[in-house]
Amino acid sequence: MAINQTEHRPMGKSIKRKEDPRFIRGEGRYIDDISLPGMLYMNIVRSPYAHAKIVSIDTTAAMEVPGVHLIITGEDLAKMNLAWMPTLAGDVQMVLATGKVMFQYQEVAVVVAESREVAMDAAQLVAVEYEALPALVDPFRAMQPDAPVLREDREQKNNHIFHWQVGDKDDTEEMFKSAEVVVKQDVRFQRVHPSPLEPCGCIADFNKTTGKLTWYVTSQAPHAHRTVLAMVSGLPEHMIHVISPDIGGGFGNKVPVYPGYVCAIVASLQLGRPVKWIETRTENIASTGFARDYHMTAEIAANKDGIVQALRVKTLADHGAFDAAADPSKFPAGLFNIVTGSYDFKQAFVEVDGVYTNKAPGGVAYRCSFRVTEAAYLIERTMDVLAQKLNIDAADLRFRNFIKKEQFPYPSPLGWTYDSGDYEQTLKLALDKIGYAELRKEQAEKRARGEYMGIGISTFTEIVGAGPSHTFDIMGIKMFDSAEIRVHPTGKAIVRLGVRHQGQGHETTFAQIVAEELGLSAADILVEEGDTDTAPYGLGTYASRSTPTAGGAAALCARRIREKAKKIAAHLLEVSEDDVEWDGSAFNVKGLPGKSVTMDKVALAAYTNLPEGMEPGLEATYYYDPPNLTFPHGAYICVVDIDNGTGAVKVRRFLAVDDCGTVINPMIVEGQIHGGLTEGFGIAFMQDIPYDEDGNCLAPNWMDYLVPTALETPHWETDRTVTPSPHHPIGAKGVGESPNVGSPQAFVNAVVDALSPLGVTHIDMPIYPWKVWEILRKNGVTE
């Protein structure tokens, strides 16, 4: 059953998702659903140690297992000059360990066999002798001069990866010297993981006859992956065909290139047969791209009325064994310099240092635009610390410091130019809708009775849409995006895009954009992504960039088609092109009501009845290089109640008011917000990937790394304001990341607010019940 929605002018309407019929029936086509003739299966041998020398690897017993075709070690790859691969962050990473292992679960060898089970059994027989080395898991210890050097492969003989700073240091220092009030807060954003429902995997299928490699892969950026693969392998890029089928969630986890991908390709090249690799849940959490792990210190200089003057931030970023982040080249700490948030700071200075430790590599943008979640969390936590110190209501403090709507476009002291926003309007709507004054009254009454109720506020500004190519690139590839549209003779159309969705609803929303621009029905437009042999080149879907970039490309591509269509319409209407105007549904002759022609009639003429000399067909391609990023914002309010006896926190209410500019499909936006809030809830209360002193990962599966289910997830309330982006073709800003960016601090601020009568000013996430219980017990609230 296909969804039949014939409504024209679909922009801003909650039409049903075109992709849902196959998903709700379990008929999506994911990597592990694909089976090719003669396909083999790959399993990875991983290190049990976080840091150890590899004394020897004996594959004899494993090779004797019936059904085993190939075993590859790091030494084998070294002979092919493939032992190391570049990361998107400009570092290099071992594909398979040579010499020593750098983190627990690191890839050491791979076994390729007739079945998945045989490959797993044989992998158990690969005998690796290790000599354990002391593990270095504390990033502060790793920065000390006498710390052991983990990466002997580098010329730089310490564990320091990079130092990045932005802002005016001297002017910021001067403001701090003269400030009436200074607050300082150490904040850690713990190591978390995107943990998509579908782990990573691929099928490499090299055809020895044609010399062409077809690579099915869980990729959020298939074109970029093809380019990287060509650079690593030496295969001609045009002989690599990347297909990214349905993806069961990505959240940044499926942007990097992983060793399993490379090994599957090497195996297929050697054997001439398709090789499938699908990782387990533990492999996904313990070895692929983690997120956050920032140790931050923020200081705010303000006057006694709470008017902020300057911000100073110092951060230590733990990247694990390799810097495998996916940040744009010029931004080793991503877009963390959005850390001034929604506030009119006069000066700011930010420093970030990256460091190696014996942990899994990463630093990916987990449902945020390159370290924006860390920045939003830090500034919103610190603003609450300032409010608490000055005894100013948290909402009032924000109103006093918001960037005013008349200040846009607003140049921030850290180098960005915010496009538009009305922060006061958004927070006022949130306060009114949740009944803020009444909640504060209720809180006062409960406090008088010895009950702990908290109200947390987060007013965040995001930065999305990487990027303008003059500023953003990854491995030298400029960041833009693309669309290709062909209108068929019958007035139906196909849209191909350089991005790749993982559940965002692109097949619906991009159809709505094109339908709106061309006066067609969204039901008559097919959206295709994820095939490098058919889609135009693009940089992929992550960091809320699809709508700001590919959405812009789709709209402008459709307008390019409309320009040609107007000429054909004039020919059909037998008037001058200057006498033809477009009303959103048809081309009309000015001053002659009723004399018009619709796009489907024009489309037929494009193939059958053209003006003399005009090139046949009705299609176009557009590469959109945005002039600026877009800056969504929001105001979130969380209300919590704390159990005095157990420390359990109950989220009683949570309201999210978002402003993502022009809304394409309200239902899909609502779904995006619900999902992101649920992730933020998990981060705030459940999730952390800790390591013991030996570097053992203590949360490598969903028994220890908790993902919220419907049972734990609170009820979400939502609303929105709309301030369109002035530079985007349809005024859209993007929304996918906002709820993850904006929500953790709302939860934490609420808990801290509840416990503030006990002198609490900060609690690091995740806020486990035992942390709250210890505070209550320490203060004599419970025994």
Side-chain angles (χ1 to χ4, degrees):
M1 178 190 74
I3 290 177
N4 184 24
Q5 295 170 127
T6 58
E7 188 174 22
H8 289 68
R9 307 304 302 269
M11 184 67 80
K13 296 175 182 174
S14 293
I15 67 174
K16 294 179 181 176
R17 293 183 7 138
K18 300 174 73 167
E19 45 272 81
D20 278 352
R22 71 176 188 272
F23 288 143
I24 61 178
R25 291 169 171 164
E27 295 176 355
R29 187 169 184 259
Y30 301 91
I31 286 287
D32 211 16
D33 294 320
I34 299 171
S35 182
L36 302 179
M39 191 167 70
L40 302 173
Y41 297 83
M42 189 180 85
N43 191 270
I44 298 178
V45 179
R46 295 180 180 274
S47 170
Y49 293 97
H51 196 200
K53 289 183 181 177
I54 297 175
V55 178
S56 64
I57 301 177
D58 185 352
T59 63
T60 306
M63 277 302 301
E64 291 176 353
V65 175
V68 171
H69 287 254
L70 179 68
I71 296 177
I72 303 173
T73 67
E75 295 300 329
D76 297 326
L77 293 181
K79 296 171 186 172
M80 306 175 211
N81 199 28
L82 289 173
W84 294 75
M85 64 180 184
T87 71
L88 298 180
D91 197 2
V92 291
Q93 175 178 355
M94 293 182 197
V95 178
L96 295 174
T98 54
K100 71 173 186 176
V101 292
M102 296 284 293
F103 66 95
Q104 190 185 42
Y105 293 105
Q106 185 175 349
E107 300 83 357
V108 175
V110 300
V111 177
V112 181
E114 283 290 336
S115 72
R116 188 172 292 170
E117 293 75 17
V118 170
M120 291 175 63
D121 290 345
Q124 300 294 318
L125 297 177
V126 175
V128 184
E129 183 181 353
Y130 297 96
E131 181 180 315
L133 298 170
L136 193 52
V137 296
D138 181 348
F140 292 95
R141 168 70 183 122
M143 286 288 283
Q144 293 175 358
D146 64 341
V149 177
L150 299 181
R151 292 282 302 276
E152 292 97 341
D153 59 291
R154 300 197 315 158
E155 290 185 9
Q156 186 175 321
K157 297 307 177 189
N158 57 37
N159 300 313
H160 188 223
I161 305 173
F162 65 83
H163 175 81
W164 181 70
Q165 65 181 51
V166 61
D168 192 317
K169 182 177 183 179
D170 293 338
D171 286 354
T172 302
E173 296 296 327
E174 287 302 313
M175 282 201 164
F176 269 90
K177 288 177 183 176
S178 60
E180 296 176 343
V181 178
V182 173
V183 294
K184 181 178 181 179
Q185 184 63 55
D186 293 328
V187 173
R188 188 193 175 212
F189 205 128
Q190 76 275 22
R191 177 175 283 228
V192 296
H193 196 279
S195 209
L197 196 61
E198 178 201 31
C200 299
C202 72
I203 302 171
D205 183 14
F206 180 66
N207 187 316
K208 288 189 172 181
T209 302
T210 64
K212 188 163 187 175
L213 172 69
T214 302
W215 190 36
Y216 305 86
V217 60
T218 50
S219 171
Q220 293 178 236
H223 289 278
H225 278 168
R226 182 178 64 170
T227 301
V228 172
L229 179 57
M231 295 165 63
V232 172
S233 69
L235 290 172
E237 190 167 2
H238 69 290
M239 298 302 285
I240 303 171
H241 180 195
V242 178
I243 300 172
S244 183
D246 287 328
I247 300 177
F251 314 117
N253 183 240
K254 292 167 181 172
V255 175
V257 174
Y258 295 115
Y261 295 163
V262 178
C263 291
I265 291 168
V266 170
S268 184
L269 289 171
Q270 289 199 10
L271 298 170
R273 292 175 63 173
V275 175
K276 175 186 278 191
W277 168 65
I278 304 291
E279 66 183 4
T280 65
R281 177 62 51 197
T282 291
E283 289 177 305
N284 180 252
I285 293 178
S287 72
T288 64
F290 72 89
R292 322 298 190 236
D293 215 347
Y294 261 30
H295 300 257
M296 306 174 282
T297 300
E299 297 172 272
I300 291 178
N303 66 22
K304 291 179 180 177
D305 294 325
I307 306 301
V308 299
Q309 304 294 324
L311 176 69
R312 191 163 52 195
V313 175
K314 190 169 181 58
T315 292
L316 188 60
D318 186 345
H319 281 269
F322 311 100
D323 185 0
D327 297 319
S329 300
K330 295 178 183 176
F331 301 93
L335 310 186
F336 185 70
N337 52 332
I338 193 70
V339 70
T340 51
S342 305
Y343 312 110
D344 190 17
F345 283 94
K346 304 307 176 189
Q347 291 293 343
F349 180 66
V350 172
E351 296 176 276
V352 182
D353 288 278
V355 62
Y356 293 119
T357 59
N358 288 123
K359 300 174 187 172
V364 300
Y366 167 21
R367 201 164 185 166
C368 83
S369 185
F370 311 119
R371 303 294 189 179
V372 175
T373 303
E374 293 91 319
Y377 179 66
L378 181 65
I379 187 61
E380 289 302 297
R381 267 282 51 240
T382 314
M383 288 295 283
D384 259 30
V385 172
L386 178 63
Q388 195 171 344
K389 181 179 180 67
L390 296 175
N391 196 28
I392 298 174
D393 178 85
D396 185 19
L397 183 77
R398 286 166 169 80
F399 280 123
R400 296 184 193 189
N401 289 290
F402 275 150
I403 300 163
K404 309 300 181 190
K405 65 178 181 181
E406 56 271 18
Q407 290 178 267
F408 291 95
Y410 173 80
S412 83
L414 293 178
W416 302 116
T417 300
Y418 295 16
D419 58 353
S420 64
D422 188 342
Y423 302 149
E424 290 186 5
Q425 177 194 36
T426 305
L427 181 55
K428 284 179 180 175
L429 175 60
L431 296 175
D432 291 343
K433 184 154 186 171
I434 204 162
Y436 186 68
E438 293 78 9
L439 286 170
R440 284 295 182 197
K441 182 180 177 182
E442 178 191 351
Q443 183 186 48
E445 294 170 353
K446 287 195 168 184
R447 283 179 175 174
R449 297 196 299 267
E451 300 174 21
Y452 295 92
M453 165 192 167
I455 305 166
I457 296 174
S458 165
T459 51
F460 65 93
T461 294
E462 230 209 322
I463 174 171
V464 304
S469 65
H470 56 71
T471 303
F472 292 92
D473 73 270
I474 289 183
M475 297 183 71
I477 304 169
K478 300 293 186 182
M479 298 190 75
F480 50 81
D481 235 288
S482 59
E484 175 187 287
I485 302 173
R486 179 186 306 155
V487 184
H488 303 305
T490 56
K492 316 301 181 186
I494 183 169
V495 183
R496 293 189 170 109
L497 300 145
V499 292
R500 184 62 181 122
H501 67 86
Q502 313 111 46
Q504 293 91 338
H506 286 188
E507 295 174 32
T508 307
T509 53
F510 286 125
Q512 287 180 260
I513 293 172
V514 173
E516 181 76 16
E517 295 288 342
L518 295 181
L520 300 174
S521 166
D524 292 335
I525 296 174
L526 175 67
V527 173
E528 284 189 355
E529 300 175 345
D531 188 323
T532 57
D533 272 10
T534 58
Y537 199 97
L539 272 294
T541 295
Y542 43 88
S544 271
R545 64 182 305 277
S546 291
T547 296
T549 57
L556 294 174
C557 189
R559 291 173 195 177
R560 185 169 280 174
I561 285 178
R562 212 168 63 206
E563 290 174 9
K564 181 176 182 180
K566 185 178 180 183
K567 299 180 188 299
I568 300 173
H571 169 68
L572 296 176
L573 295 166
E574 298 180 325
V575 297
S576 165
E577 185 182 344
D578 294 337
D579 293 328
V580 175
E581 60 185 3
W582 172 253
D583 69 359
S585 298
F587 292 101
N588 300 292
V589 178
K590 297 175 184 176
L592 290 176
K595 189 169 185 179
S596 63
V597 60
T598 57
M599 186 61 76
D600 57 341
K601 298 291 191 299
V602 170
L604 182 61
Y607 298 88
T608 61
N609 180 18
L610 285 165
E612 186 175 351
M614 179 178 283
E615 181 182 359
L618 195 57
E619 60 185 86
T621 302
Y622 201 103
Y623 281 77
Y624 178 60
D625 186 1
N628 190 9
L629 297 122
T630 59
F631 295 77
H633 71 275
Y636 292 177
I637 300 179
C638 176
V639 182
V640 301
D641 296 302
I642 293 177
D643 186 302
N644 285 13
T646 65
V649 177
K650 177 179 174 56
V651 177
R652 191 203 315 173
R653 293 185 66 186
F654 194 102
L655 170 64
V657 177
D658 277 277
D659 192 322
C660 58
T662 300
V663 174
I664 300 166
N665 185 316
M667 179 192 70
I668 289 178
V669 168
E670 186 90 351
Q672 290 267 33
I673 293 170
H674 280 213
L677 293 177
T678 303
E679 289 179 326
F681 172 75
I683 290 169
F685 292 106
M686 300 177 173
Q687 297 174 346
D688 186 15
I689 302 181
Y691 290 79
D692 69 13
E693 61 182 11
D694 294 322
N696 294 307
C697 179
L698 302 181
N701 53 61
W702 279 352
M703 291 295 288
D704 299 302
Y705 186 81
L706 303 180
V707 176
T709 69
L711 186 63
E712 297 90 17
T713 302
H715 172 71
W716 308 121
E717 304 171 53
T718 63
D719 209 328
R720 67 175 179 269
T721 57
V722 177
T723 50
S725 172
H727 63 77
H728 190 268
I730 61 171
K733 293 184 174 180
V735 73
E737 323 287 4
S738 291
N740 194 319
V741 168
S743 63
Q745 55 270 24
F747 295 113
V748 176
N749 286 351
V751 175
V752 172
D753 179 60
L755 300 173
S756 61
L758 303 177
V760 175
T761 58
H762 178 69
I763 307 173
D764 271 330
M765 298 185 293
I767 301 179
Y768 295 127
W770 64 262
K771 288 185 179 180
V772 178
W773 179 78
E774 282 192 345
I775 292 170
L776 296 172
R777 188 181 63 165
K778 181 180 177 183
N779 286 276
V781 178
T782 188
E783 295 182 354

